[in-house]
């Protein structure tokens, strides 16, 4: 009697495991059928808009035989730069210290042991300018206030989500148009979409390099900056099941 119960239990266990295995295999086969015969179409959407913010990178570089003097000189110029930016209506949240470094300066002419001759202090800023009509004045004034390196200017769209949504919609329409064209040309029947992929690109207007401008400083009322337009691009790939 005990052996019969044991045997019956063993059989039931085997049947349960077999049923589970068959269920997994059936689901795998159904999934394979859904995705084995597929075709993909790629579409691209582009949307352009004028930038609404300028991001300027600038640095104050000072040198002195001792580090304290170099730091004090840098701090004085830093305060002058900050005061100038605030007079231009730029808020504290848009003035950020991006980097601060103290570098010893060496003399290698002795031929043996290099000798420290002084220190260089570099404080770098990232400044957001929201009034684009002030870009030229800010670039020029930064140098006058003490920023002896204005590294670059980026013209950006601060919140590109709405543009991305529009570009994505255009890309979807382009991919579906391709799908409908091929469906008619080749004579296939398209089923449901079984996969979706997206690639996003944001192409801003070229960066302005102040070091490439004429002269060491900007001076003369500042450069002329053309804001142009930024382009947001979205590429999507739709994969259809072939029925």
């Amino acid at each position: 009697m005990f052996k019969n119960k044991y045997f019956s239990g063993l059989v039931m266990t085997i049947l349960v495991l077999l049923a589970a295995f068959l269920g997994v295999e059936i689901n795998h086969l159904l999934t394979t059928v859904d995705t084995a015969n597929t075709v993909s179409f790629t579409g691209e959407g582009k949307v352009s808009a004028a930038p609404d913010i300028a991001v300027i990178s600038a640095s104050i570089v000072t040198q002195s035989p001792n580090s304290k003097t170099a730091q004090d000189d840098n701090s004085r110029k830093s305060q002058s730069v900050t005061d100038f930016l605030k007079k231009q209506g730029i808020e504290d949240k848009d003035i950020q210290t991006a980097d601060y470094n103290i570098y010893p300066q060496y003399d290698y002419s002795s031929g043996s042991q290099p000798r420290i001759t002084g220190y260089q202090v570099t404080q770098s800023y990232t400044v957001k300018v929201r009034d684009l009509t002030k870009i030229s004045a800010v670039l020029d004034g930064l140098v006058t206030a003490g920023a002896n390196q204005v590294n670059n200017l980026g013209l950006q769209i601060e919140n590109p989500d709405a543009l991305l949504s529009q570009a994505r919609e255009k890309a979807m329409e382009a991919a579906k148009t391709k799908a409908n064209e091929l469906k008619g040309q080749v004579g296939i029947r398209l089923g449901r979409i079984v996969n979706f992929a997206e690639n996003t690109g944001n192409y801003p207007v070229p960066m302005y390099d102040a070091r490439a401008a004429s002269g060491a400083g900007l001076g003369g009322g500042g450069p002329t900056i053309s804001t142009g337009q930024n382009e947001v691009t979205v590429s999507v790939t739709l994969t259809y099941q072939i029925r």
Side-chain angles (χ1 to χ4, degrees):
M1 185 71 178
F2 174 76
K3 290 183 177 179
N4 288 339
K5 287 183 178 180
Y6 174 77
F7 180 75
S8 298
L10 180 61
V11 171
M12 288 298 296
T13 301
I14 292 173
L15 289 175
V16 169
L17 292 174
L18 182 60
F21 174 76
L22 289 174
V24 172
E25 285 300 308
I26 291 171
N27 181 66
H28 173 71
L29 288 172
L30 291 174
T31 303
T32 302
V33 170
D34 282 346
T35 59
N37 297 319
T38 60
V39 61
S40 298
F41 303 92
T42 299
E44 186 177 77
K46 296 181 180 181
V47 177
S48 297
D52 56 11
I53 189 170
V55 180
I56 299 172
S57 296
S59 298
I60 301 170
V61 181
T62 55
Q63 296 187 51
S64 178
N66 64 78
S67 62
K68 185 179 185 307
T69 304
Q71 290 183 77
D72 289 345
D73 189 20
N74 200 286
S75 296
R76 179 180 54 77
K77 292 180 179 179
S78 174
Q79 186 61 54
S80 177
V81 165
T82 301
D83 291 343
F84 162 74
L85 292 173
K86 289 183 177 180
K87 288 179 181 178
Q88 295 297 313
I90 299 174
E91 300 180 22
D92 287 336
K93 66 177 183 178
D94 292 328
I95 306 171
Q96 182 182 38
T97 298
D99 203 10
Y100 189 92
N101 291 292
I102 302 174
Y103 302 102
Q105 306 296 294
Y106 293 96
D107 178 12
Y108 295 92
S109 62
S110 60
S112 55
Q113 191 72 16
R115 181 174 59 89
I116 296 178
T117 58
Y119 293 86
Q120 176 178 290
V121 177
T122 302
Q123 184 169 3
S124 300
Y125 286 91
T126 299
V127 181
K128 292 183 179 180
V129 182
R130 300 180 184 277
D131 183 353
L132 299 189
T133 63
K134 293 185 176 181
I135 295 176
S136 180
V138 170
L139 287 171
D140 187 55
L142 278 171
V143 175
T144 303
N148 43 8
Q149 290 185 4
V150 180
N151 302 314
N152 54 54
L153 160 70
L155 298 172
Q156 305 173 6
I157 297 171
E158 188 172 25
N159 297 306
D161 289 348
L163 297 179
L164 286 170
S165 180
Q166 295 175 33
R168 184 182 299 110
E169 185 176 346
K170 288 186 176 183
M172 293 280 288
E173 290 176 358
K176 290 179 179 179
T177 298
K178 287 183 182 179
N180 289 328
E181 289 175 353
L182 184 63
K183 179 177 67 174
Q185 293 170 358
V186 181
I188 59 175
R189 296 179 63 197
L190 298 179
R192 63 190 178 91
I193 296 175
V194 295
N195 194 34
F196 169 84
E198 177 181 313
N199 184 38
T200 302
N202 185 13
Y203 303 97
V205 295
M207 301 289 275
Y208 169 81
D209 188 347
R211 289 171 298 183
S214 59
L218 297 176
T224 299
I225 302 297
S226 299
T227 58
Q229 287 198 325
N230 288 20
E231 187 176 83
V232 174
T233 302
V234 174
S235 175
V236 302
T237 300
L238 303 179
T239 302
Y240 288 82
Q241 176 190 354
I242 299 177
R243 294 189 295 182

